[in-house]
Amino acid sequence: MMDAISPVLEVEDLCVSYGKVEALHHANIKVGAGQIVTVIGPNGAGKTTMLSAVMGLLPRSQGRIRFNGTDVGDAEVGVMVGYGVTLVPESRALFAEMSVEDNLLLGAFNRYRAGNRDQEQTKDEVFGIFPRLKERRNQYAGTLSGGERQMLALARALMAKPKVLMLDEPSLGLAPLIVREIFRVISSLKDTGVGILLVEQNARAALQVADYAYVLETGEIALEGLSKRLIDDPKVVESYLGLGGKQ
Amino acid sequence: MQQRYLLVAFIALLLIAPQLASEFHVTLLNYIGLYSIVAVGLVLLTGVGGLMSFGQAAFVGLGGYATAYLSTATELPGWAAFLGGSPWMGLLVGILLTAGVALLLGLLTLRLSGHYLPLGTIAWSISLYFLFGNLEFLGGHTGISGIPALTLFGLQMKDGRNFFYLIWAVVMVVVWLTLNLLDSREGRAIRALKGGVVMAEAMGVDTARSKVVIFLIAALFGCISGWLYAHLQRFVNPTPFSLYMSIEYLFMAVLGGAGHVWGALVGAGVITILKQWLQDWLPKLFGASGNFEMIVFGFLLVFVLQRARDGIWPILTRLIPQRASIRTVVAAEPLPTKALPDAGQVLLEANNVVKRFGGLVANNNMNLMVRAGEIMALIGPNGAGKSTMFNCVSGVDRATEGKVLFRGREVTSLDSREIAKLGMSRTFQHVRLLATMSVLENAAIGAHLRGSKAVLSSMLHLERAEEKRLLAEAARQVERVGLKDSMFEAAGSLALGQQRTLEIARALCADPCLLLLDEPAAGLRYLEKQALAELLRKLRGEGMGILLVEHDMDFVMGLADRVVVMEFGEKIAEGLPEEVQRNPAVIEAYLGGVE
Amino acid sequence: MDLQIALLLGQDGITNGAIYALLSLALVLVFAVTRVIFIPQGEFVAFGALTLASFQAGKTPGTLWLLIGAGVAVALIDLSVALRAGHVRRIPRIVAWNLVYPAAAAALIFLVKPNEMPLLAQIVLSLALVVPLGPLTYRLAYQPLAEASVLVLLIVSVAVHLALVGLGLLFFGAEGSRTPAFSDGSIVIGSLTVTGQTLWVLGASLMLIVVLAVFFERTIYGKALRATAMNRTGARLMGISTVMAGKLSFLLASLIGAFSGILIAPITTIYYDTGFLIGLKGFVGAIVGALSSYPLAAAGALLVGLLESYSSFWASAFKEVIVFTLIIPVLVWLSLTTRHVEEEE
């Protein structure tokens, strides 16, 4: 199924260790252009570790990452950003004492450095997606509400015009109404052709927007398949709630 | 055992050295000894404690000038006349002065983040240097001469060979005291200062006090070195006590191996000899006079920090074949335990706890109660505010509003150290172990509050009986959680699940009546989880209260008596495990949904 | 002390204070971006002043040799890294900045006669030699340790400071230098005569502060530096590399340092090791700003300048003691207002 589209991001046999402790074992993941792929799983399963390793924030102890078919080697963050891979981390990592506008401008830093000067236009496009941010354009990022912060983090990532957008727990700590808004935006991004790798604990929301899903458990991919199939799979429910067999 | 032979050989070498070496080399060795004393203090302060001082030479100066002034003073006022004339009075006054200054500086800077101590000591160092140079009664820049020679056991120490034995005896005593201190209850607390402050505080360690203690000890070592220096040289002026000398001391400690006491001697030796050699050669090379060795030292140190951050000593010890030693824990009388409260008695009560971080509300009106002899589980999705709640009740963080009562006493605004004293002990979600210390020693930090012997008896090793009991207790708890086979391994080499288990052993060492466990089962295998559940049931049976934050629902459901579910910082459900599991709001919170 | 003297001392204090303020801004900047406590800041002051003095004396300043040496060292390291990683495209850039630029500077100095050039050209030439030493120092000493603790970085700073002071002695000798004033004129306001150099120092400092403010507030690179200081991971995720931010902040610090040195060279005799004390006074200012607030740091630095000036009148032998004990009340205040057990990295 996945092979039908040629993947923009391929993660092959990826392992990550913290000292002697291995946190991710032989993960294989593919993301196609214009596709939403989700990695779900309980807390501590290694989801964030995986994204950090793909992004080059953490050293990869084994495995290969291909971007548009090219092996990226041991490329670290800066190089990955250059390729067009962007990560919105769980912490959002906003620049708290800078205005919304400056945060957005810095989202385009790498493109600016590469000689592109279309920041104003990109900003208008992004404001079109998040009108609320336009209202708050001069406000410090640190004064925004939780939902607005997540929107800003997402908007800032879009300023980089990514080919692959990785989102770590975008729904974390947000009220249901805002989660819905964020997920609406995520699913609308598909049409722009960006490949999205979505890591979520909020499994249902993630499965509803995603095309394909992987279930990560204690550092290993336990299950994968089309989202619409996994959404009713009792094994997914089990891995979250332990509603199944009790010892 | 091999190390003991090396030590004997080293002492033998020291004993015969003055008989074989030339006058020049004895003098050189004397200086190495004097510098070693200061460097050992810096190893304790910087290498072990992670604090940094640029004021060591100034402390040496205090020691030197105190004795220089008092032992030569002719015009002391009547009330102070008894202080004059004797080097021993000079030593005493020097020590008191140093202790006073170090205490003041320490209290001022050590509560602040790490870089204020070095900056504060730079300022202090420069101030004192200019004071020495400008105070008339201290001889200004010319200094004080005519300092009397020391007389020890009737022997007047006028030449370098005699003095050699005194200096090196002091070096060996200083090393012995420092090694003893590090190998003790207080020493474990000191070793926790670098990277383990939050954990140590939660185990009842007063880390601010530990910091002041090592700063004081390092300053006093400096003072003693200065006293010896004054009576060896029989002359003092401000130059050897300048900031540059402080920097050189720091280099000695870092180069030798900042975390290793013996490394201080190596560092002092290498820097002193190198300096001597460079001062001979560089001016000839450059055709000008000046302290060009600075250039070499600067480059050398940057190189060492980039390539071998732990200095020379660890490289040296790698050359010596280490025989695997069998380490055992000596059996000792168990420590007294506190009687646990009766089952059913309320231990912990949180009333309307609110915690805000800036504009974000992490906990909103949270209520919680834990009784003795029950396991209460706090569950909820990621980011629900469970760990924040945990930090608020254990004093690691402070609630913005609301009240926390522990055993009927209000503890809302107490530090975690104070709460630990009342019988609450906890583990951390992000494991907080001291990676290079052994499993046993890590556990023993938990027993900190059950010992009482302080720094002085630790330095003299007069606390061995208590220490044996503390270690025996730590061993017992390590065994109890199933880590007996890794007792002497470095904690950092354990698998993550085992590290979490070790956190439990450490918490149990405190003899708590309430145990707070933050995700203890994460990363454990099935059988290990079973064993952990068994242990927790047993503790509950003994009457301990347990508050558990957990994600593994399976684990919680089979174990907990009551469950509280959190979402968005608020309680959304409370009750028996089965009830909670069927609650639609809980299922919604865990699986989420967009519609 | 009569009013005349008081005003004179105040003028002195403000002049020096302005310099300390510049330095304290650089220190806060470097610390915020790289976590480096930049002890060698003072050496750039001395190098700036002494390089200018060398040009005026018709000598070739030793900083030229340092620039060439550091350039060659960085080129060797970076070239071997680039070749091993197969980044052939980076080679021209490495060669241009680290080898061609110093060589061109050397050629220029030997071709023209700097001592016959106008003052402005001499200043530009001095800055061209000294300022690149900032990023080169970052590359050689700090970059390999960028992830180390504040403590380790501080020890590196001390080591770099020692090496640079030693090199300063080697290049410029133990003799001090003083350069002629930028202008001989003076303005008389009431009973106070304000010298031209004072106006130069104040004007130039103010201008530099404005330029820096514009850089940080209006340019994307300035914002990138601020972003790195606020959230390192966030900045890296935007493609703002730690190395670039480090080199840029060191470039600004060395520029501020060297420029300050050139400004005060006509007022004070500068020796190879004078920079250290001047830099430390900037530090006292920075500490007043708790190493994080630019305006407070600048205000603190001005206070240091005034305190120094007035205490040199009352108790000149103890002026350093008085200046450095100023940090005690500041530390007391900080320790009373900070309540937080900090976990060190």
Side-chain angles (χ1 to χ4, degrees):
Chain A
M1 178 65 205
M2 283 296 296
D3 301 326
I5 322 158
S6 87
V8 55
L9 180 76
E10 280 173 281
V11 175
E12 222 177 84
D13 208 26
L14 183 65
C15 300
V16 182
S17 324
Y18 296 104
K20 285 186 183 174
V21 187
E22 197 163 83
L24 190 68
H25 323 278
H26 309 283
N28 288 288
I29 278 171
K30 285 179 191 168
V31 183
Q35 196 185 29
I36 301 182
V37 171
T38 183
V39 177
I40 55 176
N43 203 30
K47 303 188 296 287
T48 299
T49 303
M50 190 184 78
L51 290 190
S52 305
V54 172
M55 196 66 214
L57 282 170
L58 278 179
R60 311 148 186 138
S61 52
Q62 204 187 308
R64 199 169 294 116
I65 288 164
R66 284 207 196 86
F67 183 79
N68 273 338
T70 328
D71 192 336
V72 303
D74 55 0
E76 53 100 64
V77 202
V79 182
M80 294 305 287
V81 172
Y83 278 125
V85 181
T86 301
L87 168 69
V88 179
E90 195 184 309
S91 67
R92 325 311 197 212
L94 296 176
F95 308 122
E97 288 155 56
M98 276 193 196
S99 69
V100 166
E101 238 176 345
D102 281 349
N103 269 275
L104 291 178
L105 179 66
L106 287 170
F109 181 79
N110 203 66
R111 282 177 55 75
Y112 181 92
R113 226 160 77 114
N116 296 294
R117 292 293 181 272
D118 54 0
Q119 284 73 31
E120 285 303 313
Q121 196 194 330
T122 323
K123 196 166 69 186
D124 288 340
E125 286 166 29
V126 168
F127 278 152
I129 304 175
F130 299 103
R132 186 119 55 121
L133 293 180
K134 192 172 184 180
E135 290 164 27
R136 306 235 187 280
R137 60 198 300 166
N138 295 320
Q139 220 169 303
Y140 272 180
T143 64
L144 298 180
S145 74
E148 288 163 350
R149 284 182 201 196
Q150 182 57 55
M151 286 179 196
L152 178 55
L154 200 55
R156 189 180 61 174
L158 292 177
M159 289 293 292
K161 297 200 166 173
K163 305 272 190 309
V164 174
L165 179 59
M166 304 200 289
L167 306 171
D168 195 355
E169 305 259 6
S171 77
L172 184 75
L174 300 185
L177 212 65
I178 296 169
V179 174
R180 204 177 302 167
E181 170 72 12
I182 298 273
F183 275 86
R184 189 189 56 74
V185 171
I186 292 173
S187 80
S188 74
L189 288 177
K190 268 176 76 155
D191 304 332
T192 65
V194 61
I196 296 177
L197 182 56
L198 171 67
V199 156
E200 255 301 335
Q201 236 217 323
N202 189 334
R204 273 194 198 142
L207 289 173
Q208 273 162 6
V209 296
D211 301 299
Y212 199 82
Y214 299 85
V215 180
L216 201 63
E217 256 180 71
T218 55
E220 280 174 87
I221 292 178
L223 206 62
E224 62 171 283
L226 291 174
S227 308
K228 49 182 178 257
R229 279 194 208 138
L230 285 189
I231 205 160
D232 297 318
D233 193 326
K235 275 189 256 167
V236 175
V237 181
E238 223 175 273
S239 100
Y240 271 78
L241 278 177
L243 286 173
K246 226 177 273 174
Q247 307 93 35
Chain B
M1 282 303 100
Q2 209 142 10
Q3 288 155 355
R4 191 148 295 179
Y5 292 128
L6 284 173
L7 182 61
V8 171
F10 180 63
I11 292 175
L13 207 63
L14 284 181
L15 285 175
I16 56 166
Q19 312 309 324
L20 302 177
S22 67
E23 190 78 35
F24 171 74
H25 286 116
V26 169
T27 307
L28 203 59
L29 285 170
N30 280 343
Y31 278 105
I32 293 176
L34 289 174
Y35 298 156
S36 294
I37 297 169
V38 187
V40 167
L42 270 177
V43 163
L44 182 67
L45 185 71
T46 307
V48 180
L51 303 170
M52 200 154 135
S53 160
F54 287 112
Q56 295 318 102
F59 290 123
V60 177
L62 268 188
Y65 265 97
T67 196
Y69 175 68
L70 288 175
S71 60
T72 57
T74 46
E75 289 163 16
L76 284 175
W79 58 269
F82 72 99
L83 291 172
S86 155
W88 303 105
M89 270 301 164
L91 178 62
L92 186 71
V93 172
I95 284 177
L96 291 177
L97 262 179
T98 306
V101 172
L103 268 180
L104 183 72
L105 270 178
L107 291 176
L108 280 181
T109 55
L110 289 171
R111 282 172 43 112
L112 300 171
S113 56
H115 42 269
Y116 284 101
L117 181 67
L119 295 178
T121 47
I122 286 183
W124 135 252
S125 208
I126 293 180
S127 301
L128 198 78
Y129 175 75
F130 281 107
L131 265 185
F132 284 153
N134 286 301
L135 288 176
E136 222 158 284
F137 74 98
L138 294 180
H141 283 285
T142 33
I144 301 174
S145 52
I147 301 168
L150 276 185
T151 308
L152 203 63
F153 308 117
L155 182 72
Q156 223 194 15
M157 293 205 265
K158 276 194 162 160
D159 84 16
R161 279 175 218 274
N162 288 336
F163 226 94
F164 175 92
Y165 290 111
L166 177 63
I167 288 174
W168 281 93
V170 174
V171 173
M172 295 315 275
V173 169
V174 159
V175 168
W176 181 71
L177 291 173
T178 311
L179 286 172
N180 280 353
L181 176 63
L182 289 176
D183 173 29
S184 74
R185 169 178 165 272
E186 289 283 355
R188 283 187 291 274
I190 291 167
R191 282 147 80 192
L193 290 177
K194 213 167 155 183
V197 170
V198 171
M199 178 276 292
E201 285 278 328
M203 296 301 130
V205 176
D206 186 345
T207 52
R209 180 181 154 275
S210 290
K211 285 181 186 173
V212 174
V213 162
I214 54 175
F215 186 55
L216 196 62
I217 291 175
L220 289 177
F221 286 175
C223 165
I224 290 168
S225 173
W227 177 75
L228 286 168
Y229 172 87
H231 290 287
L232 171 70
Q233 280 276 325
R234 320 251 318 262
F235 159 76
V236 291
N237 71 355
T239 316
F241 313 125
S242 69
L243 183 61
Y244 277 106
M245 201 54 214
S246 283
I247 291 173
E248 231 165 79
Y249 286 130
L250 196 70
F251 281 10
M252 291 172 192
V254 173
L255 185 72
H260 305 271
V261 176
W262 289 107
L265 275 61
V266 176
V270 170
I271 292 274
T272 312
I273 293 168
L274 198 62
K275 187 175 178 179
Q276 189 66 42
W277 189 75
L278 290 172
Q279 279 182 339
D280 281 350
W281 283 100
L282 288 182
K284 284 179 202 160
L285 185 70
F286 293 141
S289 63
N291 302 329
F292 296 121
E293 73 278 1
M294 282 193 273
I295 306 173
V296 178
F297 284 171
F299 279 104
L300 179 68
L301 208 75
V302 171
F303 183 78
V304 166
L305 285 171
Q306 288 184 358
R307 292 304 161 90
R309 213 179 289 178
D310 294 329
I312 298 176
W313 184 254
I315 298 170
L316 288 182
T317 49
R318 241 173 279 148
L319 298 177
I320 306 163
Q322 298 276 334
R323 206 185 303 166
S325 55
I326 305 155
R327 283 161 294 187
T328 48
V329 179
V330 188
E333 196 190 334
L335 291 166
T337 56
K338 276 178 267 171
L340 288 168
D342 297 330
Q345 193 185 326
V346 175
L347 291 177
L348 180 73
E349 234 187 309
N351 294 326
N352 301 321
V353 167
V354 178
K355 176 71 195 176
R356 288 194 202 95
F357 294 106
L360 290 173
V361 183
N363 286 154
N364 198 10
N365 277 328
M366 272 298 297
N367 290 291
L368 203 77
M369 187 201 278
V370 188
R371 294 193 180 85
E374 77 164 355
I375 299 178
M376 151 87 176
L378 183 60
I379 66 171
N382 218 356
K386 303 180 299 290
S387 290
T388 309
M389 186 67 198
F390 233 60
N391 286 344
C392 284
V393 298
S394 63
V396 167
D397 218 326
R398 201 163 287 188
T400 322
E401 280 168 38
K403 240 185 206 178
V404 181
L405 299 172
F406 182 51
R407 304 183 77 178
R409 219 185 121 175
E410 175 157 4
V411 296
T412 324
S413 53
L414 290 188
D415 288 333
S416 60
R417 185 172 76 237
E418 301 297 326
I419 298 180
K421 280 182 195 157
L422 298 172
M424 189 192 298
S425 197
R426 67 167 293 177
T427 66
F428 291 90
Q429 187 197 356
H430 298 289
V431 175
R432 291 179 187 267
L433 294 169
L434 299 167
T436 54
M437 264 163 77
S438 74
V439 167
L440 180 72
E441 287 179 299
N442 266 287
I445 293 177
H448 187 83
L449 287 173
R450 296 172 79 183
S452 58
K453 294 283 191 286
V455 177
L456 209 58
S457 45
S458 298
M459 292 183 92
L460 297 167
H461 264 191
L462 297 175
E463 37 56 283
R464 289 292 94 182
E466 181 187 276
E467 174 73 0
K468 268 185 212 155
R469 294 174 74 184
L470 290 174
L471 287 181
E473 171 70 11
R476 196 169 73 85
Q477 301 297 354
V478 168
E479 216 169 305
R480 199 173 181 189
V481 300
L483 291 175
K484 190 184 178 193
D485 294 336
S486 336
M487 190 93 76
F488 299 102
E489 279 167 34
S493 71
L494 298 182
L496 204 60
Q498 289 178 314
Q499 295 193 3
R500 288 182 183 281
T501 326
L502 175 53
E503 288 239 326
I504 301 176
R506 186 180 64 204
L508 286 176
C509 278
D511 187 29
C513 65
L514 178 66
L515 197 58
L516 267 54
L517 304 178
D518 203 343
E519 299 201 26
L524 291 188
R525 293 193 186 86
Y526 182 68
L527 283 177
E528 291 169 332
K529 279 186 191 174
Q530 297 285 75
L532 175 61
E534 202 42 54
L535 173 67
L536 297 185
R537 281 194 194 98
K538 194 157 163 271
L539 292 171
R540 168 175 64 187
E542 288 167 13
M544 201 177 284
I546 298 172
L547 176 61
L548 194 69
V549 161
E550 198 37 87
H551 265 91
D552 185 338
M553 290 275 261
D554 249 354
F555 183 75
V556 168
M557 292 306 159
L559 186 65
D561 299 299
R562 284 187 309 125
V563 179
V564 165
V565 189
M566 280 182 84
E567 198 189 14
F568 305 126
E570 291 182 29
K571 181 151 78 177
I572 58 166
E574 175 165 14
L576 299 175
E578 301 77 42
E579 295 168 9
V580 164
Q581 208 169 13
R582 275 187 236 107
N583 186 327
V586 176
I587 296 176
E588 184 64 24
Y590 260 73
L591 279 172
V594 269
E595 259 105 23
Chain C
M1 176 177 358
D2 60 24
L3 184 70
Q4 180 91 28
I5 295 175
L7 287 173
L8 211 61
L9 290 173
Q11 183 188 339
D12 264 10
I14 289 174
T15 314
N16 286 331
I19 297 292
Y20 301 152
L22 281 180
L23 297 177
S24 71
L25 296 183
L27 292 166
V28 172
L29 165 71
V30 169
F31 182 73
V33 175
T34 63
R35 299 175 305 126
V36 168
I37 295 182
F38 195 43
I39 309 266
Q41 173 79 71
E43 277 58 71
F44 286 91
V45 176
F47 282 6
L50 293 171
T51 302
L52 179 64
S54 290
F55 280 138
Q56 292 178 345
K59 287 187 259 182
T60 307
T63 32
L64 174 65
W65 311 124
L66 186 58
L67 179 67
I68 292 171
V72 168
V74 169
L76 286 178
I77 297 171
D78 278 353
L79 284 177
S80 77
V81 171
L83 286 177
R84 237 178 295 149
H87 297 302
V88 185
R89 274 182 307 161
R90 289 187 191 167
I91 292 176
R93 221 183 131 88
I94 296 172
V95 172
W97 279 113
N98 299 302
L99 299 176
V100 177
Y101 175 80
L108 184 67
I109 288 168
F110 286 113
L111 286 177
V112 301
K113 288 203 172 90
N115 55 333
E116 291 166 7
M117 290 164 76
L119 180 65
L120 185 66
Q122 290 173 342
I123 290 175
V124 170
L125 210 51
S126 306
L127 291 176
L129 285 193
V130 179
V131 175
L133 291 174
L136 289 171
T137 307
Y138 179 79
R139 174 63 192 93
L140 289 174
Y142 296 94
Q143 188 182 318
L145 290 163
E147 297 308 313
S149 66
V150 174
L151 202 74
V152 169
L153 292 172
L154 177 54
I155 301 175
V156 174
S157 278
V158 173
V160 171
H161 155 68
L162 270 202
L164 290 181
V165 170
L167 288 168
L169 174 62
L170 184 62
F171 296 150
F172 303 109
E175 306 281 304
S177 301
R178 198 179 253 229
T179 56
F182 293 0
S183 77
D184 300 324
S186 58
I187 302 174
V188 181
I189 306 168
S191 61
L192 178 69
T193 312
V194 181
T195 63
Q197 191 61 29
T198 301
L199 292 175
W200 268 107
V201 170
L202 291 179
S205 306
L206 214 62
M207 189 196 72
L208 195 52
I209 289 174
V210 169
V211 168
L212 284 174
V214 169
F215 173 72
F216 282 117
E217 295 295 328
R218 296 268 179 267
T219 70
I220 193 165
Y221 279 91
K223 286 173 185 174
L225 273 192
R226 278 166 60 214
T228 306
M230 280 176 214
N231 193 320
R232 195 173 304 264
T233 310
R236 288 179 71 199
L237 288 173
M238 302 301 110
I240 304 165
S241 87
T242 315
V243 170
M244 186 212 77
K247 284 186 181 162
L248 189 53
S249 58
F250 270 65
L251 181 85
L252 289 173
S254 57
L255 171 70
I256 293 173
F259 192 63
S260 307
I262 288 170
L263 284 179
I264 46 160
I267 303 174
T268 331
T269 307
I270 302 285
Y271 298 85
Y272 72 100
D273 60 352
T274 313
F276 183 53
L277 271 187
I278 297 176
L280 277 182
K281 284 168 193 162
F283 251 116
V284 177
I287 291 175
V288 173
L291 285 176
S292 59
S293 159
Y294 293 95
L296 272 183
L302 272 179
L303 183 67
V304 170
L306 287 170
L307 193 68
E308 180 187 38
S309 169
Y310 285 105
S311 57
S312 68
F313 179 80
W314 293 112
S316 85
F318 297 104
K319 76 170 192 200
E320 313 289 358
V321 180
I322 293 170
V323 167
F324 287 107
T325 17
L326 174 67
I327 77 162
I328 301 257
V330 176
L331 289 175
V332 173
W333 180 75
L334 282 175
S335 84
L336 288 179
T337 50
T338 319
R339 186 216 159 263
H340 185 56
V341 183
E342 215 163 309
E343 191 72 273
E344 52 283 2
E345 317 103 274

Coordinates of all heavy atoms in Angstrom, one line a residue, chain A residues 81-108:
Chain A
V81 N 17.1 20.5 8.8 CA 16.3 21.7 8.5 C 16.5 22.1 7.0 O 15.6 22.4 6.3 CB 16.6 22.8 9.5 CG1 15.9 24.1 9.0 CG2 16.2 22.5 10.9
G82 N 17.8 22.1 6.6 CA 18.1 22.4 5.2 C 17.4 21.5 4.2 O 17.0 22.0 3.2
Y83 N 17.3 20.3 4.5 CA 16.6 19.3 3.6 C 15.1 19.7 3.5 O 14.4 19.3 2.6 CB 16.7 17.9 4.1 CG 18.0 17.2 3.8 CD1 18.8 16.6 4.7 CD2 18.4 17.1 2.4 CE1 19.9 16.0 4.4 CE2 19.5 16.4 2.1 CZ 20.3 15.9 3.1 OH 21.5 15.2 2.8
G84 N 14.6 20.4 4.6 CA 13.1 20.7 4.6 C 12.4 19.8 5.6 O 11.2 19.6 5.4
V85 N 13.1 19.3 6.6 CA 12.4 18.5 7.6 C 12.2 19.5 8.8 O 13.2 20.1 9.2 CB 13.2 17.3 8.1 CG1 12.5 16.5 9.1 CG2 13.5 16.4 6.8
T86 N 11.1 19.6 9.3 CA 10.8 20.5 10.5 C 10.1 19.8 11.6 O 9.2 19.0 11.3 CB 10.0 21.7 10.0 OG1 10.6 22.4 9.0 CG2 9.7 22.7 11.1
L87 N 10.5 20.1 12.8 CA 9.9 19.4 14.0 C 9.3 20.4 14.9 O 9.9 21.5 15.2 CB 11.0 18.6 14.7 CG 10.6 18.1 16.1 CD1 9.6 17.0 16.0 CD2 11.9 17.7 16.9
V88 N 8.1 20.2 15.3 CA 7.4 21.0 16.3 C 7.5 20.1 17.6 O 6.8 19.1 17.7 CB 6.0 21.3 16.0 CG1 5.3 22.1 17.1 CG2 5.9 22.0 14.7
P89 N 8.4 20.5 18.5 CA 8.6 19.6 19.7 C 7.4 19.7 20.7 O 6.6 20.6 20.6 CB 9.9 20.1 20.3 CG 9.9 21.5 19.9 CD 9.3 21.6 18.6
E90 N 7.4 18.7 21.5 CA 6.4 18.6 22.6 C 6.3 19.9 23.4 O 5.3 20.4 23.7 CB 6.7 17.4 23.4 CG 5.5 17.0 24.3 CD 5.9 15.9 25.2 OE1 6.5 14.9 24.7 OE2 5.7 16.0 26.4
S91 N 7.5 20.5 23.7 CA 7.6 21.7 24.5 C 7.2 22.9 23.8 O 7.2 24.0 24.3 CB 9.0 21.8 25.1 OG 9.9 22.1 24.0
R92 N 7.0 22.8 22.5 CA 6.7 23.9 21.5 C 8.0 24.8 21.2 O 8.1 25.3 20.2 CB 5.6 24.9 22.0 CG 4.4 24.5 22.7 CD 3.6 23.3 22.2 NE 2.3 23.3 22.8 CZ 1.6 22.2 23.1 NH1 2.1 21.0 22.9 NH2 0.4 22.2 23.6
A93 N 8.8 24.9 22.3 CA 10.1 25.7 22.1 C 9.9 27.0 21.4 O 10.6 27.4 20.5 CB 11.1 24.8 21.3
L94 N 9.0 27.8 21.9 CA 8.8 29.1 21.3 C 9.8 30.1 21.9 O 10.4 29.8 22.9 CB 7.4 29.6 21.7 CG 6.2 28.8 21.1 CD1 4.9 29.3 21.6 CD2 6.3 28.9 19.5
F95 N 9.9 31.2 21.3 CA 10.8 32.3 21.9 C 9.9 33.2 22.7 O 9.3 34.2 22.1 CB 11.5 33.0 20.7 CG 12.2 32.0 19.8 CD1 12.0 32.0 18.5 CD2 13.2 31.1 20.4 CE1 12.6 31.0 17.7 CE2 13.8 30.2 19.6 CZ 13.5 30.1 18.2
A96 N 9.8 33.0 23.9 CA 8.8 33.5 24.8 C 8.8 35.1 24.8 O 7.8 35.7 24.8 CB 8.9 33.0 26.2
E97 N 10.0 35.7 24.8 CA 10.1 37.1 25.0 C 10.2 37.8 23.6 O 10.9 38.8 23.5 CB 11.2 37.5 25.9 CG 10.9 37.2 27.3 CD 12.1 37.0 28.2 OE1 13.0 37.9 28.2 OE2 12.3 35.9 28.8
M98 N 9.6 37.2 22.6 CA 9.6 37.8 21.3 C 8.2 37.8 20.8 O 7.4 36.9 21.2 CB 10.4 37.0 20.3 CG 11.9 37.3 20.3 SD 12.6 36.5 18.9 CE 14.3 36.6 19.4
S99 N 7.9 38.7 19.9 CA 6.5 38.8 19.4 C 6.2 37.6 18.5 O 7.0 36.9 18.0 CB 6.3 40.1 18.6 OG 7.1 40.0 17.4
V100 N 4.9 37.4 18.3 CA 4.4 36.4 17.5 C 5.0 36.5 16.1 O 5.5 35.6 15.5 CB 2.9 36.5 17.4 CG1 2.3 35.6 16.2 CG2 2.2 36.0 18.7
E101 N 5.1 37.8 15.6 CA 5.6 38.0 14.3 C 7.1 37.6 14.2 O 7.5 37.0 13.2 CB 5.5 39.5 13.9 CG 4.7 39.6 12.7 CD 4.4 41.1 12.3 OE1 4.5 41.9 13.2 OE2 4.0 41.3 11.2
D102 N 7.9 38.0 15.2 CA 9.3 37.6 15.2 C 9.5 36.1 15.3 O 10.4 35.6 14.6 CB 10.0 38.3 16.4 CG 10.3 39.8 16.1 OD1 10.1 40.2 14.9 OD2 10.7 40.5 17.0
N103 N 8.7 35.4 16.1 CA 8.7 34.0 16.1 C 8.5 33.4 14.7 O 9.3 32.5 14.3 CB 7.7 33.4 17.0 CG 8.2 33.3 18.5 OD1 8.8 32.3 18.8 ND2 7.9 34.3 19.3
L104 N 7.5 34.0 14.0 CA 7.2 33.5 12.7 C 8.4 33.8 11.7 O 8.8 32.9 10.9 CB 6.0 34.1 12.1 CG 4.7 33.7 12.8 CD1 3.5 34.4 12.2 CD2 4.5 32.2 12.7
L105 N 9.0 35.0 11.8 CA 10.1 35.4 11.0 C 11.2 34.4 11.1 O 11.8 33.9 10.2 CB 10.5 36.8 11.3 CG 11.7 37.3 10.6 CD1 11.3 37.5 9.1 CD2 12.2 38.6 11.1
L106 N 11.5 34.0 12.4 CA 12.6 33.1 12.7 C 12.3 31.7 12.1 O 13.2 30.9 11.8 CB 13.0 33.1 14.1 CG 13.7 34.3 14.6 CD1 13.8 34.4 16.1 CD2 15.0 34.4 14.0
G107 N 11.0 31.4 12.0 CA 10.7 30.1 11.4 C 11.2 30.0 10.0 O 11.5 28.9 9.5
A108 N 11.4 31.2 9.4 CA 11.9 31.2 8.0 C 13.3 31.5 7.9 O 13.9 31.7 6.9 CB 11.1 32.2 7.2

